[in-house]
Amino acid sequence: MTRYDPKTAEPKWQAAWEDAGVFRARDPQEAGDAPRAYVLEMFPYPSGRIHVGHSRNYAMGDVVARFRRANGYNVLHPMGWDAFGLPAENAARDRGVNPEDWTRANIEVMRGQLKRLGLAIDWSRELATCDPSYYKHQQALFLAFLEKGIAYRRTAKVNWDPVDNTVLANEQVVDGKGWRSGAPVETRELEQWFLRITAYSEELLEGLKGLDRWPDKVRTMQENWIGRSRGAHVRFALSNPPEGAADAIEVFTTRPDTLFGAAFVAVAPDHPLIKAMAADRPDLDAFMRETASMGTSEEAIERAEKKGVDTGLTVRHPFDPDWELPVWAANFVLSTYGTGAIFGSPAGDQRDLDFARKYGLPVKPVVLPPGADPASFEITDEAYIGPGVSFNSQFLDGLETPKAIEAAIAKLEELKAGEGATTWRLRDWGVSRQRYWGCPIPVIRCSACGIVPVPEADLPVELPKDVDFNSPSNPLAAHPTWKHVHCPQCNEMAERETDTLDTFVDSSWYYARFCSPQAADTPVEMDKAAYWLPVDQYVGGVEHAVLHLLYSRFFARAMRDCGYLDLPDGEPFAGLFTQGMVTHETYRSAAGKWLGPEEVREADGSLVDEAGAAVKRGAVEKMSKSKKNVVDLDAFVEEYGADVARWFVLSDSPPERDVQYTTQGVEGAARFVQRLWALVDDHPEGGPGPLTVADGAEGPALEIRRAAHRAAKEVSRAIEEFRFNVAVAQLYELVNTLRKLPSGETETAARAEALGILVRLIGPFAPHLAEEGWARLGGEGLAAVAPWPVHDEALAAQQTVTVGVQINGKKRSEVELAPDADEAAAKEAALADSRTARGLEGLTVRKFIYVPGRIINIVAG
RNA sequence: GCGGGCGUGGCGGAAUUGGUAGACGCAAGGGACUUAAAAUCCCUCGGUCCGAAAGGACCGUGCCGGUUCGACCCCGGCCGCCCGCACCA
């Protein structure tokens, strides 16, 4: 009897897989009749090192990839690097390293770590988005978008740090201040590049309906994000328009039926009207500035205390020219949504009500909730936002809300004061970043010719390497020579665009590039893409539920419209799974410094650091570098092996939920690996092989076969349904059962069959152990390509089922029945049972409920 | 603040999706083996109560209410935690 030693087995089998090239995805011509499967995990940002938390995502994808391959699929399971982004620039600034060197070094380290996890990846397709051979094609796509009008320029707001003279990301704005300078953030308008995702709003919304292998929650989130709403545009004529401003305020509302409850009109603090007045109105100017200092994130704006300033202007009510309403500037009105102006109907909207109460504006109820009495109905501090019947509303009185909306719109159109309209919450995608470490936007600004695309022959526009990170502003713009070029059209001196693309652009099409990663002349080879796409199973964190996934769906369509991709329904990801995180306890020193788990030990029941000082145990949180609660993958693999890491992150918690890292849990996984090995190693050397079919087995041998076939059935189903923790539990059960059943000579053939099944079932989870077991049992070739065990339904089926017997819904007993027993048999068995009989004493049976295989419920009284 | 999700023993979770709540794992307790320890193996393990025991009763899936023969599952209201909010990836 030997112990299983991952340290020797794992590198051995990893080399064997590589030598045999078993994970190489075959091109369509080579693949023959094999069905294809594209399995993809969201590719990592090369931040430094992989920790056990990251590995869960890849382990899950790998289970699917290995399962599909064992089932005869031609599998594409690639890996790449989302390699552009802010952290590299931060490292450059903080540590004086070059972003590219830093990134490439990280990739080297992380690739090694992933390889040591034993993932079934086709490494020949590896790509990195920071590689000119990748972003060259991205630049070509951008130019195609520009030509199609999908890419365009306009001004937009950014967070501006006035001390560092730099644009700040939302995460760099802390409490309205720059994270490094501490200076209050200003909002600035900048010329920026945008992608016209809003042109696809309707299609992106409609497309969600067909994504039946996506989690409902993600579809709902995208639906809400796109945010289609029907309503009306209403024009409120200004009684006394200020000079240089329009003579009316246009408002969007979903509830034109509440127009008679209007108390005020409110515009965004940066609405053109306010800008026009700001010069003569210090209070408005101050309000505008104050609001701007909140930053540009919607969250900050929404959380801020609701405030407003009376502009002194008035507008006329569209239905009654004699009725004047005050115009306020309000910080909860977003200039980016609708028309940047609203009318306030306090009785029907909570925010409007709070605002009205705060500033003493009238509250007039105009929608009567069902069953309420019009004479006594009042609004106190809670608005009624639901549907009802209009009242206090002249020609709308008595109409149900939907009818009232229609009637109000008809009237607006008749008066030419407005019209029915649909607006969307979705905004165009701002892709300009004033940063160095991103894909350069391939255009040249010429004072004579305007915006000139870089000729395709000149792509890629590469990033310069000799950049200075000491000044905080965009190093590309600050570079002495890089931006100075001749205009491709007039040949006069001109300047390159110094903005780079949002890194979400990089990740919006990488799944397509994987189909033909080496193609030099085109982003995507259409025939390869047609074969592989859409991705059958995409795996990643829920945090990407909206942005990355929506941008990718948009990109697939924009590429289609430019002739670069042709997906049947435009959707790049047919199946999506959003996995949970790996969490870990956090630790802090007395001084509040975060400590890593390896710096903490237990002494006399309390936690201390290496020096013996007391350590505070903090909350269990998602593994992250910033809180140091990470377990490095290499250290883990060194101690336990890759299979234990994979087994652990897949067991216990359902994949969509978080799993908590505990040393005990890991030890349990490690014990299981040894127990399984002992079971396999107990088999007689040179005995029957792992593909044995022990026909005619009886007694314990039959039990052995039954257990194995039942496990094959359940594990296959669990993998198919993405319930890996259930598959793991089934495998534990099979191992427990096999250990309990006898292993005499008469059971040898059945054991060979069962162990052969077990080893293959283990494969997707603990692939190295599976290979070692397969070899030990005398299996031919590699377990990684051995056929998946197909269970015999007759063997897997239960012979009898235990059915609970309830009396009036309370469980009183249970009976053994054949799975297909009919009601008469069930009734007979139930009534014959002594405990049931005792429970029924003195009662008359009124109803007998029997659900085969599930429950018997006797209603008696 | 808005949108989405989650909540079951000491802990992670299972429950064939309206049908025996607690599979499987961890921890804990008891025992076997051992000079001893580790490793391994066996048994017990939601709570309260009745009973020497065998066994039995009641309570129990965040909280309150509802629908149903039957609710962890469906409906209404609340509480707590997590994710996203457009320049983090």
Side-chain angles (χ1 to χ4, degrees):
Chain A
M1 178 81 71
T2 55
R3 258 182 94 75
Y4 173 70
D5 178 21
K7 261 191 214 148
T8 53
E10 292 184 350
K12 178 177 74 185
W13 294 113
Q14 284 163 18
W17 294 328
E18 196 166 332
D19 291 347
V22 288
F23 304 135
R24 192 160 309 136
R26 287 165 288 159
D27 277 336
Q29 327 62 280
E30 287 178 74
D33 297 337
R36 42 117 268 186
Y38 185 175
V39 181
L40 184 67
E41 299 100 56
M42 290 180 186
F43 65 163
Y45 177 79
S47 57
R49 301 184 61 80
I50 299 219
H51 57 67
V52 175
H54 299 121
S55 67
R56 195 165 186 228
N57 181 228
Y58 311 117
M60 286 181 190
D62 208 48
V63 168
V64 177
R66 286 179 179 271
F67 177 68
R68 292 276 173 250
R69 179 167 290 101
N71 280 287
Y73 285 74
N74 180 27
V75 175
L76 173 55
H77 185 212
M79 183 58 69
W81 309 98
D82 190 11
F84 276 135
L86 265 184
E89 267 178 83
N90 294 336
R93 187 186 144 142
D94 296 344
R95 289 181 253 163
V97 289
N98 179 279
E100 176 165 5
D101 296 342
W102 181 83
T103 303
R104 298 231 176 251
N106 288 345
I107 289 174
E108 284 305 312
V109 171
M110 290 170 71
R111 184 197 299 115
Q113 291 188 291
L114 288 181
K115 286 194 169 177
R116 283 188 287 281
L117 249 192
L119 301 173
I121 282 170
D122 181 351
W123 284 103
S124 72
R125 293 178 185 249
E126 180 183 351
L127 57 80
T129 56
C130 67
D131 206 316
S133 67
Y134 182 83
Y135 68 70
K136 170 186 171 177
H137 301 292
Q138 189 163 307
Q139 291 174 341
L141 289 174
F142 182 87
L143 293 178
F145 290 176
L146 184 60
E147 203 181 323
K148 264 270 177 203
I150 296 170
Y152 68 97
R153 283 167 68 75
R154 67 168 163 86
T155 61
K157 286 185 277 187
V158 294
N159 299 311
W160 182 260
D161 185 320
V163 170
D164 279 350
N165 285 315
T166 187
V167 176
L168 296 176
N170 281 337
E171 71 154 10
Q172 297 172 326
V173 179
V174 182
D175 295 331
K177 301 193 175 76
W179 65 339
R180 289 199 158 120
S181 69
V185 169
E186 296 170 6
T187 300
R188 280 209 179 176
E189 298 269 349
L190 234 57
E191 273 282 299
Q192 308 241 61
W193 286 98
F194 280 83
L195 297 184
R196 212 178 292 278
I197 189 172
T198 55
Y200 295 82
S201 303
E202 191 92 53
E203 203 190 330
L204 289 168
L205 185 64
E206 284 303 305
L208 289 171
K209 292 184 185 142
L211 294 173
D212 52 356
R213 288 174 50 226
W214 278 40
D216 288 342
K217 61 174 174 180
V218 175
R219 289 196 285 177
T220 311
M221 279 191 252
Q222 292 215 353
E223 202 179 306
N224 292 336
W225 187 265
I226 295 168
R228 178 191 160 99
S229 51
R230 286 186 179 284
H233 282 138
V234 185
R235 279 177 293 280
F236 287 84
L238 280 155
S239 322
N240 44 352
E243 214 161 306
D247 58 4
I249 297 174
E250 179 152 303
V251 151
F252 176 76
T253 177
T254 57
R255 294 295 298 272
D257 62 310
T258 63
L259 266 166
F260 286 102
F264 60 94
V265 163
V267 300
D270 55 340
H271 190 275
L273 190 61
I274 305 299
K275 285 183 180 165
M277 298 173 75
D280 309 324
R281 286 285 300 271
D283 58 334
L284 285 178
D285 190 57
F287 185 59
M288 200 164 87
R289 285 173 194 283
E290 184 196 324
T291 311
S293 72
M294 286 191 302
T296 57
S297 91
E298 191 167 302
E299 183 191 359
I301 295 165
E302 291 257 336
R303 272 180 190 272
E305 189 198 344
K306 308 288 177 278
K307 280 197 221 170
V309 174
D310 189 347
T311 63
L313 300 173
T314 54
V315 288
R316 278 190 255 285
H317 194 283
F319 293 150
D320 179 358
D322 296 332
W323 181 2
E324 294 206 336
L325 299 169
V327 177
W328 286 66
N331 65 357
F332 60 86
V333 181
L334 301 179
S335 60
T336 49
Y337 181 70
T339 59
I342 60 149
F343 78 85
S345 193
D349 182 285
Q350 193 58 45
R351 216 157 41 176
D352 294 350
L353 181 65
D354 296 343
F355 193 78
R357 293 292 187 221
K358 183 165 182 170
Y359 294 107
L361 297 160
V363 178
K364 175 172 123 190
V366 288
V367 178
L368 193 64
D373 169 25
S376 61
F377 180 67
E378 264 181 48
I379 294 287
T380 49
D381 51 3
E382 208 162 302
Y384 178 71
I385 59 174
V389 175
S390 289
F391 73 128
N392 294 335
S393 294
Q394 302 183 16
F395 66 91
L396 298 175
D397 282 355
L399 295 176
E400 301 264 350
T401 298
K403 294 270 177 218
I405 290 174
E406 262 174 53
I409 292 173
K411 188 73 165 186
L412 285 169
E413 288 175 352
E414 183 194 316
L415 296 171
K416 304 220 179 314
E419 56 279 316
T422 299
T423 58
W424 304 80
R425 208 184 76 97
L426 184 65
R427 313 199 292 258
D428 274 340
W429 176 12
V431 293
S432 280
R433 296 293 180 269
Q434 292 69 41
R435 320 225 173 262
Y436 165 74
W437 193 234
C439 171
I441 295 175
V443 298
I444 291 163
R445 308 147 183 259
C446 172
S447 52
C449 312
I451 297 289
V452 181
V454 171
E456 193 137 2
D458 294 347
L459 298 184
V461 174
E462 286 197 48
L463 288 169
K465 304 226 157 120
D466 52 334
V467 285
D468 175 18
F469 289 96
N470 290 326
S471 78
S473 63
N474 180 2
L476 261 191
H479 191 277
T481 56
W482 184 79
K483 66 181 172 190
H484 302 294
V485 286
H486 292 275
C487 169
Q489 270 174 29
C490 67
N491 210 33
E492 292 299 309
M493 282 313 290
E495 282 197 3
R496 284 194 192 285
E497 172 62 77
T498 58
D499 284 358
T500 50
L501 289 171
D502 178 7
T503 57
F504 272 125
V505 175
D506 311 340
S507 54
S508 288
W509 69 286
Y510 77 111
Y511 51 85
R513 182 70 184 167
F514 274 134
C515 300
S516 50
Q518 272 96 34
D521 304 326
T522 176
V524 179
E525 286 174 14
M526 298 283 274
D527 56 329
K528 305 269 174 59
Y531 174 74
W532 287 113
L533 289 169
V535 173
D536 297 280
Q537 188 61 63
Y538 196 34
V539 188
V542 243
E543 65 273 21
H544 294 293
V546 177
L547 295 180
H548 162 61
L549 290 165
L550 190 63
Y551 290 151
S552 295
R553 297 180 58 225
F554 156 65
F555 238 76
R557 290 168 169 83
M559 285 170 76
R560 171 199 66 200
D561 292 346
C562 296
Y564 280 108
L565 200 61
D566 189 17
L567 301 176
D569 52 6
E571 294 295 341
F573 311 121
L576 172 71
F577 188 87
T578 53
Q579 101 278 358
M581 316 283 175
V582 179
T583 60
H584 194 291
E585 279 185 325
T586 50
Y587 309 103
R588 291 181 108 149
S589 68
K593 202 175 122 245
W594 296 108
L595 295 171
E598 71 288 344
E599 299 173 287
V600 173
R601 65 194 158 81
E602 195 144 351
D604 308 324
S606 58
L607 290 178
V608 294
D609 66 9
E610 284 152 332
V615 169
K616 269 183 284 187
R617 199 186 294 261
V620 173
E621 297 191 61
K622 166 182 158 184
M623 277 196 184
S624 79
K625 247 170 134 175
S626 60
K627 303 219 165 112
K628 293 187 83 175
N629 60 339
V630 294
V631 176
D632 184 67
L633 189 61
D634 274 355
F636 187 102
V637 169
E638 177 66 22
E639 190 167 357
Y640 298 103
D643 283 343
V644 173
R646 298 170 59 118
W647 186 260
F648 172 73
V649 295
L650 296 173
S651 56
D652 294 350
S653 278
E656 68 277 12
R657 235 188 280 179
D658 291 351
V659 62
Q660 190 187 337
Y661 183 99
T662 59
T663 312
Q664 292 92 327
V666 171
E667 299 281 354
R671 268 199 299 273
F672 175 75
V673 165
Q674 292 302 335
R675 231 179 305 157
L676 187 139
W677 173 251
L679 191 65
V680 171
D681 200 33
D682 205 32
H683 194 66
E685 210 103 36
L691 292 175
T692 303
V693 177
D695 278 331
E698 284 171 13
L702 182 60
E703 285 312 305
I704 288 170
R705 294 194 72 205
R706 281 190 190 285
H709 282 261
R710 213 177 309 127
K713 179 181 175 178
E714 296 300 329
V715 170
S716 305
R717 185 167 71 178
I719 293 176
E720 207 72 76
E721 293 173 355
F722 240 86
R723 291 147 49 82
F724 305 131
N725 57 321
V726 176
V728 164
Q730 294 292 338
L731 288 164
Y732 269 112
E733 216 163 311
L734 175 58
V735 168
N736 290 345
T737 306
L738 292 180
R739 277 151 54 89
K740 279 183 193 131
L741 290 169
S743 56
E745 210 169 308
T746 43
E747 285 87 32
T748 304
R751 282 207 162 255
E753 179 178 357
L755 292 173
I757 289 172
L758 171 62
V759 156
R760 283 175 290 157
L761 294 179
I762 287 286
F765 304 89
H768 311 87
L769 178 65
E771 293 292 353
E772 198 72 14
W774 185 252
R776 169 65 183 75
L777 294 170
E780 302 228 346
L782 290 164
V785 290
W788 191 251
V790 180
H791 69 272
D792 179 331
E793 192 56 53
L795 285 170
Q798 300 281 354
Q799 291 167 294
T800 64
V801 285
T802 312
V803 176
V805 180
Q806 297 178 339
I807 295 171
N808 294 329
K810 276 187 189 267
K811 191 192 160 195
R812 284 294 120 107
S813 183
E814 50 192 33
V815 288
E816 288 281 319
L817 293 174
D820 56 351
D822 63 10
E823 181 160 334
K827 192 167 187 174
E828 193 186 345
L831 295 179
D833 180 75
S834 61
R835 281 192 294 175
T836 311
R838 209 184 318 147
L840 284 174
E841 261 166 45
L843 300 173
T844 357
V845 176
R846 302 203 191 282
K847 199 169 165 192
F848 186 85
I849 295 158
Y850 171 55
V851 183
R854 301 259 198 279
I855 200 77
I856 290 166
N857 189 12
I858 302 168
V859 184

